[in-house]
Amino acid sequence: MTSAKDFFKRLFSFEGRSSQRDYFVAQICQTFLFIPFFLSDLANDPYRKILLGVVLIFIIFGQLTVTVRRFHDTGKSAWYVPLMFIPPISLFCLYYLWILPGDAEANKYGAPA
């Protein structure tokens, strides 16, 4: 539960580091936030589509910030994030962020998460 609270507290922050657990919990939270809005979009209500668009913006931005912090946790720059938009490479990056543990000691991005 701490990881979910941490995700929402640091939603707009690119600073610092996020652990494997924080990254995984952020993805789960974003999935559960998106599912109800996706299912409600089936009703074809224009107001729900606007709300869905706003929620999607927050989900995408939240995913971007937690991905940057996760790369920071492994000692990598945020310049690796554009690789996530290349389909074959994105799977490798995703597994990399899920599996590789972060640096055990402080790195140039801060103390361990």
Side-chain angles (χ1 to χ4, degrees):
M1 190 64 168
T2 305
S3 293
K5 287 180 183 178
D6 186 50
F7 166 71
F8 288 108
K9 186 172 78 173
R10 295 175 39 186
L11 182 64
F12 298 105
S13 174
F14 289 98
E15 301 293 320
R17 298 166 59 173
S18 289
S19 66
Q20 288 173 306
R21 185 184 68 183
D22 293 341
Y23 185 71
F24 185 72
V25 168
Q27 290 190 337
I28 297 296
C29 288
Q30 291 169 356
T31 300
F32 284 117
L33 281 173
F34 179 70
I35 288 173
F37 290 101
F38 176 75
L39 295 175
S40 69
D41 191 43
L42 299 177
N44 236 0
D45 181 12
Y47 295 110
R48 287 187 185 158
K49 287 186 179 192
I50 292 170
L51 185 59
L52 176 65
V54 170
V55 169
L56 277 175
I57 288 170
F58 278 103
I59 288 173
I60 291 169
F61 191 77
Q63 183 63 37
L64 180 65
T65 60
V66 76
T67 301
V68 167
R69 289 192 312 263
R70 182 68 185 117
F71 272 118
H72 286 174
D73 191 44
T74 61
K76 304 289 186 260
S77 168
W79 286 105
Y80 283 88
V81 173
L83 295 176
M84 300 289 286
F85 295 102
I86 303 171
I89 297 173
S90 66
L91 287 175
F92 174 74
C93 289
L94 186 63
Y95 292 134
Y96 175 82
L97 294 175
W98 278 349
I99 295 171
L100 189 72
D103 294 342
E105 297 185 17
N107 62 20
K108 64 181 179 178
Y109 301 106

